[in-house]
Amino acid sequence: MSSNSCHPNAPHEKLKAPDWYVSALMMDRALDAILRRVKKFDREHDIPYLAGYSRDGKTIYIDRHLPKSFMFRGRTIDVDRFLILHEEVEKTLIDQLGLHYLHAHQIATRAEEAAVNAQRVTWKAYDRFMQKYVKSIGDERLQKVPSDLDLKPYRDYHDYDLLQRMEQHMEHTPGLGAKLKDELKAYAAAFREQHEVERRHATSTRKRAAVAPKQGAAKKAVEKPATRKMTVKASKRTGS
């Protein structure tokens, strides 16, 4: 981390505009400030979706198989700083402001994109590089998951299939802590119950939708003869 604590692209020179103006240089300095406050940085584990954080927020994890840099238009682009920014912003918004993961993730991604663009790198090129190394939660390469990994992102994502795969793989994942396994089981059980409730609700809704047209047709069939009888009686009364 020490080599990234002060980025060469963020020199301490006077800006041409006020400090509070939006600028790539000031964005770079802000990123440096965040990196200096990271208490612990870990690149020794397998992390679903490339990066994450510990439950107490003191450790930022980046997947051990993700290369530390990629080439863009002849330049070597370090990627750790962008992922650390995303995770720090996301974790802070969740813990300090109580935001839902999906909302915090949106804001953190915008910050990450701004930092990438500040380095004169296109988001498309950066994201294309990242997607090549993404591991889903059921990936067989997830062999070394940290025991204190915060699971809120995976829980709040509300992906039942994802949780199912997680449950299937966790018993065969060496090094997975007992607490983490218990938490995973609890999340999987909760999602299984929620999924069953949603399934029953959807089935009930479909049945009601199927019955409604039949009831409507039966009602019309009953009403039509009555209408015809009334017409006949009226005509008879008229003719008398």
Side-chain angles (χ1 to χ4, degrees):
M1 273 301 298
S2 58
S3 62
N4 284 335
S5 62
C6 190
H7 198 267
N9 284 345
H12 293 282
E13 61 185 34
K14 185 175 178 60
L15 297 175
K16 296 180 180 179
D19 289 353
W20 46 269
Y21 274 26
V22 173
S23 75
L25 182 57
M26 185 52 67
M27 182 66 197
D28 228 17
R29 289 184 186 175
L31 182 49
D32 283 344
I34 291 174
L35 295 176
R36 284 194 292 270
R37 286 164 174 75
V38 175
K39 294 180 174 62
K40 185 179 178 182
F41 175 63
D42 184 299
R43 244 185 175 277
E44 303 297 323
H45 292 84
D46 298 320
I47 309 299
Y49 306 113
L50 297 180
Y53 33 75
S54 59
R55 285 188 293 272
D56 62 9
K58 293 181 179 180
T59 304
I60 298 296
Y61 292 106
I62 292 181
D63 189 90
R64 60 178 174 155
H65 296 113
L66 177 70
K68 295 182 178 181
S69 63
F70 73 102
M71 296 301 297
F72 178 75
R73 296 176 183 173
R75 293 188 293 136
T76 300
I77 308 300
D78 296 330
V79 299
D80 286 3
R81 60 194 279 106
F82 304 128
L83 292 172
I84 291 172
L85 170 67
H86 180 114
E87 301 306 319
E88 283 285 352
V89 170
E90 184 177 284
K91 178 66 170 172
T92 300
L93 290 173
I94 292 172
D95 287 358
Q96 301 301 320
L97 295 182
L99 262 65
H100 188 283
Y101 160 71
L102 293 176
H103 298 162
H105 175 75
Q106 286 292 319
I107 297 172
T109 301
R110 298 304 192 276
E112 181 182 2
E113 183 176 3
V116 169
N117 292 335
Q119 289 298 305
R120 303 184 305 283
V121 176
T122 65
W123 179 257
K124 183 177 180 179
Y126 171 81
D127 187 58
R128 183 169 58 244
F129 165 76
M130 290 294 179
Q131 291 301 324
K132 291 188 294 184
Y133 298 94
V134 169
K135 296 174 183 173
S136 66
I137 201 67
D139 198 308
E140 61 183 9
R141 293 172 296 172
L142 289 173
Q143 299 296 322
K144 193 179 178 184
V145 179
S147 60
D148 64 343
L149 182 66
D150 193 333
L151 300 177
K152 286 190 184 74
Y154 315 113
R155 180 196 67 191
D156 292 350
Y157 192 67
H158 281 230
D159 189 329
Y160 176 69
D161 293 332
L162 194 72
L163 266 294
Q164 274 192 314
R165 293 199 301 274
M166 180 190 292
E167 190 178 31
Q168 291 168 1
H169 282 260
M170 64 186 176
E171 293 297 339
H172 308 289
T173 304
L176 205 62
K179 288 184 178 180
L180 184 61
K181 285 185 179 181
D182 289 342
E183 192 173 359
L184 287 173
K185 287 181 179 179
Y187 285 164
F191 272 90
R192 191 158 45 245
E193 181 179 352
Q194 178 182 340
H195 182 72
E196 181 60 23
V197 170
E198 291 175 352
R199 187 191 65 78
R200 289 199 300 266
H201 177 71
T203 300
S204 176
T205 301
R206 285 196 297 270
K207 286 181 177 178
R208 287 198 300 270
V211 169
K214 294 180 180 179
Q215 290 178 336
K219 186 177 180 181
K220 288 180 180 178
V222 171
E223 290 175 347
K224 284 181 180 179
T227 304
R228 286 197 295 272
K229 286 181 181 178
M230 290 176 65
T231 304
V232 172
K233 288 181 178 178
S235 62
K236 286 182 177 179
R237 283 196 302 268
T238 305
S240 56

